[in-house]
Amino acid sequence: MTSRPVHRLAIALAMSLPLAATAQDFDGVYEYGFCDDPPFVALTIAGSEVSYYETPCTLSDAAPQDEPAGAIRYTMSCDHGSGPQPQTVLFFRDAEGALVLRSDGLEDRFVSCPVD
């Protein structure tokens, strides 16, 4: 009788692992468009915590997308000083490996650069 709840838990854990692993593919420190010297950090992603031009944000509701390949849609809530403001964003990598952030029909391209 106890094997059924354990079986359900195992299935739930197995289904959540690919999503967690995929979301971590975006972790890193990025500059906008190209690398500067000294670096100008525009975007930092560490799990669900994001710093977007020094504004603290949180990612939630990860939903993998078919197009573009490897894309994940999130709710990104940023606090610009008046409380969290949620918006829907899409993260994916372009053909050159840069991170693309799509929001409200606009796209920003970020590159990973060495940071001292």
Side-chain angles (χ1 to χ4, degrees):
M1 189 175 314
T2 60
S3 66
R4 190 170 291 245
V6 171
H7 179 71
R8 287 183 186 154
L9 177 61
I11 290 172
L13 286 173
M15 291 175 62
S16 69
L17 287 176
L19 180 59
T22 303
Q24 291 175 353
D25 287 343
F26 302 127
D27 282 3
V29 177
Y30 301 92
E31 292 188 52
Y32 185 77
F34 57 90
C35 296
D36 288 317
D37 188 24
F40 173 75
V41 175
L43 176 69
T44 303
I45 303 173
S48 65
E49 300 300 312
V50 175
S51 175
Y52 184 55
Y53 292 104
E54 299 182 5
T55 299
C57 305
T58 303
L59 297 174
S60 62
D61 307 321
Q65 305 294 295
D66 292 332
E67 290 294 326
I72 301 179
R73 185 186 69 226
Y74 294 97
T75 299
M76 185 166 81
S77 297
C78 297
D79 189 347
H80 300 281
S82 59
Q85 298 174 2
Q87 62 180 346
T88 300
V89 299
L90 188 70
F91 281 109
F92 61 95
R93 297 220 180 254
D94 68 11
E96 295 160 2
L99 180 67
V100 177
L101 168 59
R102 183 182 294 164
S103 175
D104 296 327
L106 302 174
E107 288 186 1
D108 290 310
R109 184 176 184 270
F110 299 92
V111 294
S112 182
C113 303
V115 179
D116 295 332

